[in-house]
Short mmCIF file of all heavy atoms in Angstrom, two decimals:
data_model
loop_
_atom_site.label_atom_id
_atom_site.label_comp_id
_atom_site.label_asym_id
_atom_site.label_seq_id
_atom_site.Cartn_x
_atom_site.Cartn_y
_atom_site.Cartn_z
N GLU A 1276 22.38 -8.55 -22.15
CA GLU A 1276 21.33 -7.63 -21.72
C GLU A 1276 20.78 -8.00 -20.35
O GLU A 1276 20.60 -7.15 -19.48
CB GLU A 1276 20.20 -7.63 -22.76
CG GLU A 1276 19.11 -6.60 -22.50
CD GLU A 1276 19.53 -5.19 -22.89
OE1 GLU A 1276 20.61 -5.03 -23.51
OE2 GLU A 1276 18.80 -4.25 -22.57
N SER A 1277 20.53 -9.28 -20.11
CA SER A 1277 19.94 -9.70 -18.84
C SER A 1277 20.91 -9.52 -17.69
O SER A 1277 20.54 -8.98 -16.64
CB SER A 1277 19.49 -11.16 -18.93
OG SER A 1277 18.49 -11.32 -19.90
N CYS A 1278 22.14 -9.96 -17.86
CA CYS A 1278 23.10 -9.92 -16.75
C CYS A 1278 23.47 -8.49 -16.36
O CYS A 1278 23.57 -8.16 -15.19
CB CYS A 1278 24.35 -10.71 -17.11
SG CYS A 1278 24.08 -12.49 -17.20
N ARG A 1279 23.65 -7.65 -17.34
CA ARG A 1279 24.05 -6.28 -16.98
C ARG A 1279 22.90 -5.53 -16.31
O ARG A 1279 23.11 -4.73 -15.42
CB ARG A 1279 24.54 -5.54 -18.21
CG ARG A 1279 23.49 -5.26 -19.27
CD ARG A 1279 23.79 -3.97 -19.98
NE ARG A 1279 22.84 -3.70 -21.04
CZ ARG A 1279 22.14 -2.58 -21.10
NH1 ARG A 1279 22.23 -1.69 -20.15
NH2 ARG A 1279 21.31 -2.37 -22.11
N LYS A 1280 21.66 -5.79 -16.72
CA LYS A 1280 20.53 -5.18 -16.03
C LYS A 1280 20.38 -5.74 -14.63
O LYS A 1280 20.01 -5.03 -13.69
CB LYS A 1280 19.24 -5.40 -16.83
CG LYS A 1280 19.13 -4.53 -18.06
CD LYS A 1280 17.77 -4.71 -18.72
CE LYS A 1280 17.63 -3.78 -19.92
NZ LYS A 1280 16.31 -3.95 -20.58
N LEU A 1281 20.68 -7.02 -14.49
CA LEU A 1281 20.59 -7.65 -13.18
C LEU A 1281 21.56 -7.02 -12.19
O LEU A 1281 21.25 -6.83 -11.02
CB LEU A 1281 20.87 -9.15 -13.31
CG LEU A 1281 20.57 -10.02 -12.08
CD1 LEU A 1281 19.11 -9.97 -11.73
CD2 LEU A 1281 21.00 -11.45 -12.36
N ARG A 1282 22.75 -6.66 -12.69
CA ARG A 1282 23.74 -6.01 -11.82
C ARG A 1282 23.51 -4.51 -11.71
O ARG A 1282 24.06 -3.86 -10.84
CB ARG A 1282 25.15 -6.26 -12.36
CG ARG A 1282 25.63 -7.68 -12.28
CD ARG A 1282 27.12 -7.78 -12.61
NE ARG A 1282 27.39 -7.26 -13.95
CZ ARG A 1282 27.43 -8.00 -15.05
NH1 ARG A 1282 27.20 -9.29 -14.97
NH2 ARG A 1282 27.70 -7.45 -16.21
N GLY A 1283 22.70 -3.95 -12.62
CA GLY A 1283 22.49 -2.51 -12.62
C GLY A 1283 23.66 -1.74 -13.18
O GLY A 1283 23.95 -0.62 -12.74
N ASP A 1284 24.38 -2.33 -14.16
CA ASP A 1284 25.57 -1.68 -14.71
C ASP A 1284 25.21 -0.40 -15.47
O ASP A 1284 24.21 -0.35 -16.19
CB ASP A 1284 26.29 -2.62 -15.68
CG ASP A 1284 26.94 -3.79 -14.96
OD1 ASP A 1284 27.15 -3.69 -13.74
OD2 ASP A 1284 27.24 -4.79 -15.62
N GLU A 1285 26.03 0.62 -15.29
CA GLU A 1285 25.95 1.80 -16.14
C GLU A 1285 26.71 1.51 -17.44
O GLU A 1285 27.53 0.59 -17.52
CB GLU A 1285 26.56 3.01 -15.43
CG GLU A 1285 25.89 3.36 -14.12
CD GLU A 1285 24.49 3.94 -14.31
OE1 GLU A 1285 24.22 4.37 -15.45
OE2 GLU A 1285 23.71 3.96 -13.36
N ALA A 1286 26.47 2.34 -18.45
CA ALA A 1286 27.12 2.11 -19.75
C ALA A 1286 28.57 2.59 -19.74
O ALA A 1286 29.42 2.02 -20.45
CB ALA A 1286 26.33 2.79 -20.86
N TYR A 1287 28.88 3.61 -18.94
CA TYR A 1287 30.22 4.19 -18.96
C TYR A 1287 30.72 4.39 -17.53
O TYR A 1287 29.94 4.70 -16.62
CB TYR A 1287 30.21 5.54 -19.69
CG TYR A 1287 29.70 5.46 -21.11
CD1 TYR A 1287 28.36 5.69 -21.41
CD2 TYR A 1287 30.56 5.12 -22.15
CE1 TYR A 1287 27.89 5.59 -22.70
CE2 TYR A 1287 30.10 5.03 -23.46
CZ TYR A 1287 28.76 5.26 -23.73
OH TYR A 1287 28.30 5.16 -25.01
N TYR A 1288 32.04 4.24 -17.37
CA TYR A 1288 32.69 4.45 -16.09
C TYR A 1288 34.00 5.21 -16.32
O TYR A 1288 34.45 5.37 -17.45
CB TYR A 1288 32.97 3.11 -15.39
CG TYR A 1288 31.73 2.43 -14.88
CD1 TYR A 1288 31.00 1.57 -15.69
CD2 TYR A 1288 31.28 2.65 -13.58
CE1 TYR A 1288 29.86 0.93 -15.22
CE2 TYR A 1288 30.14 2.02 -13.10
CZ TYR A 1288 29.43 1.16 -13.92
OH TYR A 1288 28.31 0.55 -13.46
N LYS A 1289 34.60 5.63 -15.21
CA LYS A 1289 35.90 6.30 -15.26
C LYS A 1289 36.91 5.47 -14.49
O LYS A 1289 36.58 4.84 -13.48
CB LYS A 1289 35.82 7.71 -14.64
CG LYS A 1289 34.99 8.70 -15.43
CD LYS A 1289 34.98 10.05 -14.73
CE LYS A 1289 34.15 11.07 -15.50
NZ LYS A 1289 34.75 11.45 -16.77
N ARG A 1290 38.17 5.50 -14.96
CA ARG A 1290 39.23 4.80 -14.24
C ARG A 1290 40.56 5.44 -14.62
O ARG A 1290 40.75 5.96 -15.71
CB ARG A 1290 39.24 3.31 -14.57
CG ARG A 1290 40.34 2.54 -13.84
CD ARG A 1290 40.08 1.06 -13.86
NE ARG A 1290 38.89 0.74 -13.09
CZ ARG A 1290 38.11 -0.33 -13.31
NH1 ARG A 1290 38.41 -1.14 -14.30
NH2 ARG A 1290 37.07 -0.57 -12.57
N GLY A 1291 41.50 5.35 -13.68
CA GLY A 1291 42.85 5.82 -13.94
C GLY A 1291 43.15 7.15 -13.27
O GLY A 1291 42.29 7.77 -12.64
#
Side-chain angles (χ1 to χ4, degrees):
E1276 186 77 9
S1277 297
C1278 291
R1279 66 148 178 124
K1280 285 185 177 180
L1281 190 62
R1282 292 190 302 267
D1284 291 340
E1285 301 289 343
Y1287 302 94
Y1288 288 88
K1289 292 180 180 291
R1290 180 163 294 153

